[in-house]
Amino acid sequence: MDQTFASSGSGPGLDTRAVAALAEEVLDWRFKALPAAAAGLTVSQYLATGPALADLGTPLLTLDAGALDHNLRTMARWCADAGVALAPHGKTTMAPALWQAQLEAGSHGITLANLPQLRVARAFGVRRLLLANALLDPAGLRWLAGELAADPDFAFASWVDSVESVRLMDSALRAAGAERPVEVLVELGGPGGRTGARTVDAAVEIADAVRRAPTLRLAGIGGYEGALAHDASEGGLGAVRGYLRSLADLHGRLAGRYADGAAPVVTAGGSAYFDLVAEELGALPEAFVVLRSGAYLAHDDGFYRGISPLGRGGGREGGALRAALHGWARVVSRPEPQLALLDAGKRDLPFDEGLPEPQLVRGGAGPAGAGPVGTAARITALNDQHAFLRDAGDLAPVGAVLRLGISHPCTAFDKWALIPVLDDASAAEPRVTGLVRTFF
Amino acid sequence: MDQTFASSGSGPGLDTRAVAALAEEVLDWRFKALPAAAAGLTVSQYLATGPALADLGTPLLTLDAGALDHNLRTMARWCADAGVALAPHGKTTMAPALWQAQLEAGSHGITLANLPQLRVARAFGVRRLLLANALLDPAGLRWLAGELAADPDFAFASWVDSVESVRLMDSALRAAGAERPVEVLVELGGPGGRTGARTVDAAVEIADAVRRAPTLRLAGIGGYEGALAHDASEGGLGAVRGYLRSLADLHGRLAGRYADGAAPVVTAGGSAYFDLVAEELGALPEAFVVLRSGAYLAHDDGFYRGISPLGRGGGREGGALRAALHGWARVVSRPEPQLALLDAGKRDLPFDEGLPEPQLVRGGAGPAGAGPVGTAARITALNDQHAFLRDAGDLAPVGAVLRLGISHPCTAFDKWALIPVLDDASAAEPRVTGLVRTFF
């Protein structure tokens, strides 16, 4: 029987052999994170040499194995306690090995943002995919129809937010001779928000259009509360709660109109307000509530540290999320007493939700291992290939390597095709225990 | 005889067979610019199918063949007229096929910013490389020493801007058993600038340290005037001229101290002020003056359109540069009358020096081909995977595809591993005539 997005199914959730095969990829100059010494070895052969952070060049982005594991377990437990499912946004990492870890930790499926990302996921056999967007490209819909027809275990749902987009989807799917109906969720937005119908009435009208389209199946509703607020202020949290209550209203209005079969999906929840989603929607009758948080896995030392429900107040148990991503950059110039230039720039580290944060220095004036960089030290600007570090004094001499906390995982992962995983980014001599491949 | 960076040599300047071999790369889901229909074909097989822009999905970044050719010829002629050499900054594109086009148009070599970029260039046999930065990583210097020893035709020069970095380079090169001395240029900076010694006296002291280091060879001087101004105001141009005159002073102070052999290199010139570089330094005695402009090739519809000497006032002949890069994005939502959401975001298009500019619409209300998008239409924000388009009215309905002008080529190229080349991005039905591979 054809799977639906909400049906439970079983099995690993993706093609574990395809993920494992990434360990056989041959390393060379295409991967800027790796030194010349790795060239010609496969990923597994290189890891077998026992490399250390000290063997890698700069600039560099790394993941921390302990933080990843902690965050996976913390979020899985939080969702289980809250009684909600998780289909983490896979666009954050675009890393099949990390998607596998999320699925093995209990995630229901993977959320993605566009067609190229769906194609990556299907190349790795991800079985349940939620597109938190509309898919209107006729060639893309033809591809989707082919994927669904070829694999009855593949379950997919996308969003629609207008009668016109329903018409475009239906028309393209008919032209493609689609065999299985495509599940869609009606997207509700909010005033000043991003996509999504602006009123519950408009959303109901779209749902009725979906019910009339033979190539579509009304599988639920959804939206993105993160577009309605940008902080945890009273006003921001109030706007989010108001939106979530309108989503609950819409669910009530659609009772009896959803397609038969599995429970209707109700999905909301980026990485900033998923606690409110669970509070407002967790007890909704006859709903399969799905969070889509993606940033929790890597977390950060910036925007999400400030706003995550598991950064702000800690979890119900197990404490706050931990930052798993770190930049590493070398001091290449000290042209003025309180100015140092590092060899990491906009090509290497995120800069769109706050600049990197100096945290530790290696190879400085202190003893071997990592030392402090001073509380006054800060990065004031990034150029394409440089960072401006100010007020590190003598703690950051030419040749020293700094560890940098980052803000916004989404614009960190997409700058690295291969990201070394360290056993412990805070150890005196971190070891490389893995290499995570991304596909952007 | 071992080549030096300034010596003339002959030949194609890189391994043209390695570049040609990129046409045999097999296309698949790893390249987000290409549709599913291309999967399994090589680049050359796919191009032989005669694809059109209309066959490609969104989001998308393209190059315009006519603009690339015009810009190559315009800049080559400008440099010839000005009597300066060009080693274009290859970090802009990181595309060996475009480097080859630049070398074939007369460029002396390629400039790069860091070790991972040097390794890409050497994988494609680029023979003359200028590192506009210091290379202090011991493992990187060991790799460099090996490359120089293995290939007497490989010519390389990097920058140093402190006595301490001279010591670190010399120490690492000795430890690596370097056979050929590494050519270095003493970098002069300016007040409020980026890297570079802050006074001519300090630069002379560094030059003397280079002369004492047996593993190094004092090959010239250089710097980056672009860090000293950010517009073409009188104050900005004055700061740039003042800096260039101090570079000329330094050249005079070092007369008789440069290493014997080819003429000493004097290099400056990003993409914003290369006309001033030619004016101030072009007639310098006994100097091989090298510009490093990289953005001229793709140019843009934003920052460089505003500041390039060949955008501001046009060239001596041949007119202004033309924007070769365009984004393409689909309207996926029209949730409010004057708000449309496009399917291109921070992962797809540059946003750090100005947001994309709506230029044309395809598949809108008008006739087939491309139509106007309205003068009020503008992009007001990018999210990770969305753009907010306002005030396009009825000209941008759901499903329509917009062409977007971009600002800042450096942060456009690095978001795409494969970039389709169109015969004419302004044609009613543009054809795909090439695919440019980048390595970031």
Side-chain angles (χ1 to χ4, degrees):
Chain A
M1 200 186 87
D2 290 347
Q3 291 287 307
T4 62
F5 184 79
S7 60
S8 53
S10 64
L14 87 175
D15 181 350
T16 55
R17 283 173 306 180
V19 177
L22 293 173
E24 303 316 311
E25 191 166 24
V26 176
L27 301 171
D28 63 14
W29 46 269
R30 291 174 301 149
F31 300 109
K32 66 179 179 173
L34 294 186
L41 303 179
T42 65
V43 167
S44 56
Q45 287 168 342
Y46 178 63
L47 291 174
T49 68
L53 173 66
D55 298 320
L56 305 181
T58 52
L60 184 65
L61 184 77
T62 61
L63 284 160
D64 179 292
L68 286 174
D69 185 59
H70 169 83
N71 295 346
L72 271 174
R73 287 186 289 109
T74 299
M75 189 68 180
R77 191 166 48 222
W78 192 94
C79 290
D81 288 351
V84 295
L86 178 64
H89 213 316
K91 62 111 176 165
T92 301
T93 70
M94 289 305 292
L98 297 180
W99 296 344
Q100 180 175 336
Q102 291 173 307
L103 291 166
E104 287 173 350
S107 290
H108 180 74
I110 298 292
T111 299
L112 291 169
N114 63 22
L115 176 65
Q117 295 176 356
L118 294 177
R119 290 181 60 209
V120 174
R122 288 303 292 163
F124 289 89
V126 180
R127 211 168 61 179
R128 282 195 210 93
L129 288 173
L130 175 58
L131 182 68
N133 229 324
L135 179 56
L136 304 181
D137 173 15
L141 286 162
R142 191 178 319 119
W143 170 83
L144 175 68
E147 288 288 309
L148 286 168
D151 181 2
D153 281 340
F154 174 36
F156 171 87
S158 80
W159 292 3
V160 283
D161 75 348
S162 71
V163 171
E164 176 62 9
S165 47
V166 169
R167 190 191 66 75
L168 289 170
M169 281 189 80
D170 183 48
S171 163
L173 287 167
R174 284 177 198 237
E179 296 173 18
R180 285 171 62 185
V182 172
E183 295 189 83
V184 292
L185 314 181
V186 174
E187 183 191 2
L188 184 68
R194 199 164 66 187
T195 53
R198 288 298 191 254
T199 67
V200 169
D201 284 346
V204 170
E205 194 184 328
I206 297 161
D208 286 337
V210 172
R211 284 156 53 86
R212 289 191 299 270
T215 62
L216 303 180
R217 180 179 182 279
L218 182 62
I221 60 173
Y224 177 51
E225 78 294 337
L228 303 171
H230 299 92
D231 56 40
S233 67
E234 199 172 330
L237 299 179
V240 169
R241 279 191 197 277
Y243 165 73
L244 294 169
R245 287 171 188 167
S246 67
L247 204 55
D249 287 348
L250 174 61
H251 180 63
R253 290 278 297 278
L254 293 181
R257 303 198 209 194
Y258 290 119
D260 293 337
V265 173
V266 177
T267 176
S271 296
Y273 307 107
F274 55 79
D275 53 340
L276 304 189
V277 175
E279 280 178 40
E280 296 290 340
L281 304 179
L284 220 52
E286 297 182 42
F288 180 56
V289 178
V290 179
L291 300 185
R292 303 188 309 278
S293 322
Y296 78 90
L297 180 59
H299 200 56
D300 72 11
D301 286 305
F303 180 73
Y304 287 106
R305 178 176 63 189
I307 203 165
S308 167
L310 295 173
R312 280 187 262 141
R316 298 181 187 194
E317 292 174 34
L321 299 171
R322 289 167 48 191
L325 284 168
H326 296 98
W328 303 84
R330 193 177 311 260
V331 180
V332 290
S333 175
R334 282 289 307 270
E336 298 174 9
Q338 294 303 334
L339 173 63
L341 280 300
L342 311 181
D343 65 356
K346 292 178 184 176
R347 251 80 181 275
D348 310 301
L349 298 176
F351 57 90
D352 58 317
E353 297 276 6
L355 294 176
E357 166 190 278
Q359 295 182 329
L360 296 172
V361 63
R362 294 169 55 84
V373 70
T375 52
R378 66 199 187 284
I379 287 180
T380 57
L382 293 191
N383 286 178
D384 289 349
Q385 313 279 170
H386 292 85
F388 288 69
L389 172 71
R390 294 194 190 269
D391 295 331
D394 295 334
L395 292 170
V398 167
V401 172
L402 273 77
R403 191 182 88 183
L404 305 172
I406 65 98
S407 180
H408 199 190
C410 298
T411 47
F413 279 101
D414 67 4
K415 295 172 171 61
W416 296 85
L418 203 62
I419 306 176
V421 181
L422 303 179
D423 57 350
D424 178 358
S426 297
E429 291 300 340
R431 313 296 302 182
V432 179
T433 60
L435 294 173
V436 167
R437 185 76 159 90
T438 69
F439 295 97
F440 284 96
Chain B
M1 201 186 87
D2 291 346
Q3 291 286 307
T4 62
F5 183 80
S7 59
S8 54
S10 64
L14 88 176
D15 181 351
T16 56
R17 283 173 306 178
V19 177
L22 292 173
E24 304 315 311
E25 191 167 23
V26 176
L27 301 171
D28 63 13
W29 46 268
R30 290 174 301 148
F31 300 109
K32 66 179 179 174
L34 293 187
L41 302 179
T42 65
V43 167
S44 56
Q45 287 167 343
Y46 178 64
L47 292 174
T49 68
L53 173 66
D55 298 320
L56 305 181
T58 52
L60 184 64
L61 184 78
T62 62
L63 284 161
D64 179 290
L68 285 175
D69 185 58
H70 168 83
N71 295 346
L72 271 174
R73 286 185 290 106
T74 300
M75 189 67 181
R77 191 166 49 223
W78 192 93
C79 289
D81 288 351
V84 296
L86 178 63
H89 212 316
K91 62 109 175 166
T92 300
T93 70
M94 289 305 291
L98 297 180
W99 297 343
Q100 180 175 336
Q102 291 174 307
L103 291 165
E104 287 173 350
S107 290
H108 179 74
I110 298 292
T111 298
L112 291 169
N114 62 24
L115 176 66
Q117 295 176 356
L118 294 176
R119 290 181 59 207
V120 173
R122 288 303 291 162
F124 289 89
V126 180
R127 210 168 63 179
R128 281 194 211 94
L129 288 172
L130 175 58
L131 182 68
N133 229 324
L135 178 57
L136 304 181
D137 172 15
L141 286 162
R142 191 177 320 120
W143 170 84
L144 175 68
E147 288 288 309
L148 287 168
D151 180 1
D153 281 340
F154 175 35
F156 170 89
S158 80
W159 291 3
V160 284
D161 75 349
S162 71
V163 171
E164 176 62 7
S165 47
V166 169
R167 191 190 65 77
L168 289 170
M169 282 189 79
D170 184 48
S171 163
L173 288 167
R174 286 178 196 235
E179 295 172 18
R180 284 172 64 187
V182 172
E183 293 189 84
V184 292
L185 314 181
V186 174
E187 183 191 2
L188 184 68
R194 199 162 68 187
T195 52
R198 288 298 191 255
T199 65
V200 169
D201 283 346
V204 171
E205 195 184 327
I206 297 162
D208 286 337
V210 172
R211 286 156 51 86
R212 289 191 299 269
T215 61
L216 303 179
R217 181 178 180 280
L218 182 63
I221 61 173
Y224 177 51
E225 77 293 338
L228 302 171
H230 300 92
D231 56 40
S233 67
E234 198 171 329
L237 299 179
V240 169
R241 280 194 196 275
Y243 165 73
L244 293 168
R245 286 171 188 168
S246 67
L247 204 54
D249 287 348
L250 174 60
H251 180 63
R253 290 277 298 276
L254 293 180
R257 305 198 208 196
Y258 291 118
D260 293 336
V265 173
V266 176
T267 177
S271 295
Y273 307 106
F274 54 80
D275 53 341
L276 304 189
V277 175
E279 282 178 39
E280 295 290 341
L281 303 179
L284 220 51
E286 297 182 42
F288 179 57
V289 177
V290 180
L291 300 186
R292 303 188 310 277
S293 321
Y296 77 90
L297 179 59
H299 200 56
D300 71 13
D301 285 305
F303 179 73
Y304 287 107
R305 179 176 63 190
I307 204 166
S308 167
L310 294 173
R312 278 186 265 142
R316 297 179 188 195
E317 292 172 34
L321 300 172
R322 290 168 47 193
L325 284 168
H326 297 98
W328 303 84
R330 193 176 311 260
V331 180
V332 290
S333 176
R334 281 290 307 269
E336 299 173 11
Q338 295 302 336
L339 173 62
L341 280 299
L342 312 181
D343 65 356
K346 292 179 184 175
R347 252 78 181 277
D348 310 302
L349 298 175
F351 57 92
D352 58 317
E353 297 277 4
L355 294 176
E357 166 190 277
Q359 295 182 331
L360 296 172
V361 63
R362 293 168 56 83
V373 70
T375 52
R378 66 201 188 285
I379 287 180
T380 56
L382 293 190
N383 286 178
D384 289 348
Q385 312 278 170
H386 293 84
F388 288 71
L389 172 71
R390 295 194 189 268
D391 295 331
D394 295 333
L395 292 171
V398 167
V401 173
L402 274 78
R403 191 183 89 181
L404 305 172
I406 65 100
S407 179
H408 198 190
C410 298
T411 48
F413 280 100
D414 67 3
K415 295 173 170 59
W416 297 84
L418 202 63
I419 306 176
V421 181
L422 303 179
D423 57 350
D424 177 0
S426 296
E429 292 300 340
R431 312 297 303 181
V432 178
T433 60
L435 293 172
V436 167
R437 186 76 158 93
T438 69
F439 295 97
F440 284 96

